Amino acid sequence: MRTVEAEPYAFEFDPATTALVIIDMQRDFVLPGGFGEKLGNDTSLLLAAVEPTHRVLTKARETGMFVIHTREGHRPDLSDCPPAKLDRGAPSMRIGDPGAFGRILIRGEYGHDIIDELQPLPGEEVIDKPGKGAFYATDLSEILEKSGIRRLIVTGVTTEVCVHTTVREANDRGYECLVLADCVGSYFPEFQRVGLQMIAAQGGIFGWVAPSPDVITAIQE
Ligand code: TIU
């Protein structure tokens, strides 16, 4: 077991049964000009998570940890997008509409894919999910069970949306989740701060939070 200082108390993990989960680091959320920015958001806070996440990913790959990437998106015919999700947002910026990087959040489009810096390697799992959480309508549970994974080290965007939803889903399924504070990003600074606090409050109500350099050290011990 490795131990890393975390909020609300030390997180213990065995790298052999722990997966690194990188949530939705897709061009349309992260890059200037994409869907996220078009919705009125500043993507710089998301871009800040790229370098630290790349360092964690590199260490995970070096040490043979299980790596999972997720992407939020839908089939080209939108048959897996509930009308309630489709109808939301500005009329000119709906899922499936043409955007700067192709049809917005549609599988196979350039903007739907993961940014160059964090592209998956062959053999790493890529979970395509229609919802905010990575467990809903995916085979993530089966993959984790089959691989003997018990804990998740979680990075990605956005902190209070897809990261929170996924960590809450994972916690309810019995997985212990450590969220890396500098490897997750929100468009809203206050949501980043409070979002992280919410995870670790009440004795770690649904997870732990730690800075990535400490976790990298623990992984390579
Ligand atoms: N991946 C993810 O968080 N999807 C979102 O829609 N996030 C927003 O903050 N909009």
Side-chain angles (χ1 to χ4, degrees), residues 2 13-21 56-68 123-124 149 151-154 215-216 218-220:
R2 314 291 167 84
F13 69 103
D14 174 359
T17 56
T18 303
L20 172 64
V21 182
V56 177
L57 176 59
T58 300
K59 183 56 64 184
R61 285 171 172 166
E62 279 172 16
T63 57
M65 269 180 72
F66 200 81
V67 176
I68 300 168
E124 293 175 353
I149 298 296
R151 294 179 181 79
L152 308 179
I153 293 176
V154 182
V215 177
I216 289 174
I219 292 172
Q220 73 188 0

Side-chain angles (χ1 to χ4, degrees), residues 144-181:
L144 296 177
E145 272 169 39
K146 194 182 67 186
S147 311
I149 298 296
R150 299 304 316 146
R151 294 179 181 79
L152 308 179
I153 293 176
V154 182
T155 70
V157 298
T158 61
T159 308
E160 79 281 10
V161 184
C162 292
V163 172
H164 252 227
T165 307
T166 298
V167 171
R168 289 168 191 247
E169 285 182 328
N171 181 67
D172 280 349
R173 287 164 174 77
Y175 297 97
E176 293 183 314
C177 297
L178 174 64
V179 176
L180 304 189

